[in-house]
């Protein structure tokens, strides 16, 4: 991991990976379909990840050796645009794999999601290898992606590694259209003293993770000894699990006033097929994973943002 290309670099995760790598003096070429309006501490090139030739050129001219492929249409947005999300999430991943094969790039990080599970997955606390029966189009693309990576690693002798992220909490970028976005939105409303209408019911329990743990889990996995990795598709990782009501109470505990109305919409249906808790014992055993930041600290850090 010396010269890294990040796709979807201006999104919630991308911005944080840029900060991490540049602080560690690792070369980063950030790419995104959007124009970069703020200053970022690395090279940036506007590029649609569906343009394979352009990606190929960039990889060659910048001598890239590792790709963090972060482009995806997230769950709630994808449900509104199922065909576009299939095309973006799947075709972009195929492009990255082809670019890797053409340029002999071995190392790739590609995030999967807790959307990959489904109602048959023992949602109370999902194990590493449950029955996977996602019903959202986003979850279906993540399951297809997991299978594509497993196939490609074997077929082309590459080393794509993956994590099934829970909802990621960070305040430095706007959330990208996911089913766990309510966490960031509610804290944002508390900071801005505005009323919040929550799109999930107050007792919907979902797994979450603070951004610092999301970044360090990926780095730890990418640096792990390959011989220790027993999971061939994507690793479960856990932070903590909360409901909207628990979040509201924690915001109040921190001295903020917040008026929340619970008005579930179509995203409730997606959340009902997602896990409450995650069993990440395989990640702990194989590469020493352990979340460092709990719920209370996450809320404190986020409200101070
Ligand atoms: N954020 C979460 O809570 C979460 C949870 C689980 C998994 N993930 C996964 O992590 C990855 C990153 O998520 P995120 O939250 O940073 O997403 P995001 O929506 O914040 O960022 C995605 C970025 O991709 C860019 N993009 C969209 N179409 C593009 C295209 N055709 N070419 C180039 N760039 C394009 C967007 O402009 C955006 O900046 C995704 O694969 C997502 O599925 C995220």
């Amino acid at each position: 991991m010396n010269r890294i290309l990040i796709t979807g670099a201006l999104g919630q995760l991308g911005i944080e990976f840029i900060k991490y790598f540049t602080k560690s003096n690792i070369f980063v070429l950030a790419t995104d379909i959007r124009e970069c309006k703020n200053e970022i501490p690395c090279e940036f090139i506007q590029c649609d990840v569906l343009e394979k030739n352009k990606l190929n050129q960039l990889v060659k001219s910048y001598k890239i050796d590792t790709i963090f492929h972060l482009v995806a249409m997230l769950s709630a947005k994808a449900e509104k645009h199922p065909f576009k999300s299939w095309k973006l999430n799947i075709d972009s991943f195929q492009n990255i794999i082809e670019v890797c094969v053409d340029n002999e790039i071995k190392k790739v990080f590609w995030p999967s999601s807790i959307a990959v599970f489904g109602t048959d997955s023992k949602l109370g606390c999902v194990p590493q290898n449950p029955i996977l029966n996602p019903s959202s189009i986003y979850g279906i693309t993540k399951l297809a992606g997991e299978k594509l990576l497993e196939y490609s690693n074997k077929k082309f002798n590459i080393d794509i590694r993956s994590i099934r992220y829970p909802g990621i909490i960070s305040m430095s970028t706007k959330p990208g259209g996911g089913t766990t976005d309510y966490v960031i939105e509610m804290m944002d409303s508390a900071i801005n003293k505005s009323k919040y209408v929550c799109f999930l019911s107050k007792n919907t329990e979902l797994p979450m993770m603070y951004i610092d743990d999301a970044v360090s889990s990926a780095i730890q996995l990418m640096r792990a000894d390959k011989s220790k990795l027993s999971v061939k598709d994507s690793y479960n990782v856990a932070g903590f699990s909360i409901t909207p009501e628990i979040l509201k109470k924690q915001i109040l505990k921190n001295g903020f006033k917040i008026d929340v109305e619970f008005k579930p919409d179509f995203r409730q249906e997606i959340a009902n097929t997602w896990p409450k808790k995650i069993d990440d014992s395989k990640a702990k055993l194989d590469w020493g994973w352990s979340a460092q930041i709990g719920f209370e600290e996450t809320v404190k850090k986020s409200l101070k943002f």
Side-chain angles (χ1 to χ4, degrees):
M1 284 211 295
N2 292 316
R3 300 185 64 83
I4 300 177
L5 169 78
I6 303 181
T7 71
L10 300 181
Q12 196 190 9
L13 276 155
I15 286 292
E16 305 297 331
F17 279 118
I18 290 174
K19 285 185 205 159
Y20 175 84
F21 288 128
T22 51
K23 269 190 200 147
S24 316
N25 288 323
I26 293 173
F27 173 83
V28 176
L29 173 61
T31 63
D32 201 288
I33 198 165
R34 286 189 276 160
E35 196 186 326
C36 184
K37 292 190 175 143
N38 300 319
E39 212 169 289
I40 54 169
C42 67
E43 293 254 0
F44 176 82
I45 291 185
Q46 200 171 1
C47 173
D48 182 344
V49 73
L50 296 175
E51 283 181 46
K52 200 187 90 189
N53 292 341
K54 188 162 176 188
L55 274 180
N56 236 327
Q57 267 175 12
L58 291 178
V59 160
K60 281 188 205 326
S61 53
Y62 285 88
K63 298 187 171 44
I64 296 299
D65 63 23
T66 304
I67 300 179
F68 273 55
H69 175 43
L70 306 180
V71 169
M73 195 183 290
L74 303 196
S75 56
K77 200 170 168 195
E79 221 45 55
K80 292 196 164 159
H81 308 282
F83 298 122
K84 273 192 192 162
S85 74
W86 176 267
K87 188 168 175 55
L88 181 63
N89 297 3
I90 298 300
D91 288 4
S92 71
F93 198 16
Q94 180 179 332
N95 273 354
I96 294 296
I97 293 167
E98 286 189 44
V99 165
C100 287
V101 172
D102 291 351
N103 295 280
E104 293 183 8
I105 292 175
K106 296 289 178 199
K107 300 216 89 171
V108 179
F109 177 70
W110 173 82
S112 184
S113 155
I114 55 165
V116 79
F117 303 114
T119 48
D120 291 340
S121 301
K122 296 188 184 155
L123 295 178
C125 182
V126 280
Q128 177 64 50
N129 277 316
I131 293 171
L132 297 173
N133 66 325
S135 48
S136 67
I137 188 68
Y138 176 65
I140 292 167
T141 65
K142 288 299 183 188
L143 178 53
E146 287 192 12
K147 291 293 151 203
L148 183 61
L149 93 76
E150 199 177 344
Y151 172 83
S152 303
N153 279 351
K154 202 165 164 210
K155 178 87 178 172
F156 307 117
N157 187 29
I158 41 185
D159 186 8
I160 310 170
R161 300 186 184 184
S162 177
I163 279 174
R164 292 170 177 155
Y165 278 132
I168 308 295
I169 302 173
S170 72
M171 300 299 280
S172 55
T173 46
K174 281 207 155 103
T179 303
T180 53
D181 289 0
Y182 85 82
V183 178
I184 298 165
E185 292 172 0
M186 200 190 290
M187 289 197 283
D188 206 41
S189 297
I191 293 166
N192 294 311
K193 299 184 172 60
S194 53
K195 181 181 169 169
Y196 181 58
V197 180
C198 182
F199 56 78
L200 295 183
S201 69
K202 62 180 177 183
N203 293 322
T204 307
E205 186 180 5
L206 291 171
M208 308 283 172
M209 179 177 276
Y210 190 60
I211 186 72
D212 293 8
D213 274 335
V215 170
S216 61
S217 60
I219 303 300
Q220 258 180 279
L221 174 62
M222 291 300 280
R223 293 207 166 125
D225 181 345
K226 195 176 173 188
S227 66
K228 300 226 162 76
L229 303 181
S230 62
V231 170
K232 300 299 171 213
D233 43 18
S234 185
Y235 274 95
N236 283 7
V237 290
F240 49 85
S241 291
I242 53 162
T243 66
E245 181 69 6
I246 289 173
L247 176 63
K248 182 184 145 186
K249 285 187 177 150
Q250 194 61 30
I251 291 172
L252 292 170
K253 253 194 190 170
N254 276 268
F256 284 76
K257 289 200 176 105
I258 175 96
D259 178 12
V260 183
E261 185 186 345
F262 295 96
K263 222 174 167 183
D265 66 13
F266 72 99
R267 287 167 278 193
Q268 183 68 47
E269 224 175 285
I270 301 175
N272 291 344
T273 69
W274 285 12
K276 295 185 196 314
K277 292 193 170 62
I278 310 274
D279 173 357
D280 60 356
S281 47
K282 271 279 173 201
K284 286 180 167 146
L285 193 71
D286 287 2
W287 42 278
W289 160 248
S290 165
Q292 298 300 306
I293 299 165
F295 171 52
E296 290 178 11
E297 199 183 346
T298 295
V299 174
K300 201 166 264 162
K301 279 174 180 276
S302 303
L303 290 174
K304 268 197 201 140
F305 190 79

